[in-house]
Amino acid sequence: MSVVFAKPVLTDIPAMQEIVRKEVEEGIILPRSDDELATNIRSYTIATDAESGELLGYVALHIHSMRLAEIRSLIVKEGHRHRKIGSRLVEAAVEEGRRLKVREVLALTYMGTFFERLGFAEIPKESIPEHKIWADCIKCKYFPVCNEISLIKRL
């Protein structure tokens, strides 16, 4: 199967919501409304099957400051995992960060080993800017008791 990586369009939002539904319900990924996805659509990169056009996964690169960006909402559709699609989505987001000249890319995740294989290193959560922690984490069903780890990749 050939996979195409591209920027999504607004009509991709229903499919984006569908493939992330289970992880949102389980509290693995924070919920994002259709309006929030639409507002930030340019932050996302999607992976689609070149032949069928089926949405296989996506990731967002959220810019926090001139120094810091964050990997958000990484998801690969069940049945298509373990094919390097997630790795390639993260690599695309990191490359976008390089083009934008950010110095560091942050990931808050339960999948530390996955990100470490991609060159991220674990850091203490206390080193993350407060505005980042409270702006998103307050929406999480596990707040304030969180088992996610924070990792950073310096560009």
Side-chain angles (χ1 to χ4, degrees), residues 54-77:
E54 175 187 12
L55 181 65
L56 304 175
Y58 62 88
V59 69
L61 182 71
H62 181 78
I63 306 299
H64 286 290
S65 68
M66 289 178 63
R67 179 184 67 80
L68 182 67
E70 179 189 4
I71 300 286
R72 287 187 174 178
S73 304
L74 174 63
I75 185 73
V76 175
K77 189 174 185 177

Side-chain angles (χ1 to χ4, degrees), residues 66-107:
M66 289 178 63
R67 179 184 67 80
L68 182 67
E70 179 189 4
I71 300 286
R72 287 187 174 178
S73 304
L74 174 63
I75 185 73
V76 175
K77 189 174 185 177
E78 285 190 43
H80 296 281
R81 295 176 182 166
H82 308 290
R83 296 181 179 176
K84 304 286 184 198
I85 295 169
S87 298
R88 292 173 64 197
L89 282 165
V90 171
E91 289 166 358
V94 167
E95 186 54 38
E96 183 174 10
R98 277 193 184 95
R99 280 193 307 274
L100 294 170
K101 305 291 187 204
V102 296
R103 289 185 230 141
E104 299 173 318
V105 177
L106 170 72

Side-chain angles (χ1 to χ4, degrees), residues 6 15 28 33 44 64 75 93 132 153:
I28 296 169
S33 69
Y44 288 86
H64 286 290
I75 185 73
K132 159 57 199 146
K153 182 168 185 154

Side-chain angles (χ1 to χ4, degrees), residues 12-77:
D12 290 318
I13 291 174
M16 292 169 73
Q17 292 285 35
E18 184 56 36
I19 68 170
V20 78
R21 183 177 322 284
K22 180 181 172 200
E23 284 75 8
V24 167
E25 289 170 358
E26 293 174 357
I28 296 169
I29 294 179
L30 288 175
R32 308 271 183 214
S33 69
D34 288 354
D35 287 344
E36 190 174 359
L37 287 175
T39 299
N40 296 293
I41 198 74
R42 290 174 286 191
S43 298
Y44 288 86
T45 298
I46 59 172
T48 56
D49 180 308
E51 205 170 293
S52 69
E54 175 187 12
L55 181 65
L56 304 175
Y58 62 88
V59 69
L61 182 71
H62 181 78
I63 306 299
H64 286 290
S65 68
M66 289 178 63
R67 179 184 67 80
L68 182 67
E70 179 189 4
I71 300 286
R72 287 187 174 178
S73 304
L74 174 63
I75 185 73
V76 175
K77 189 174 185 177

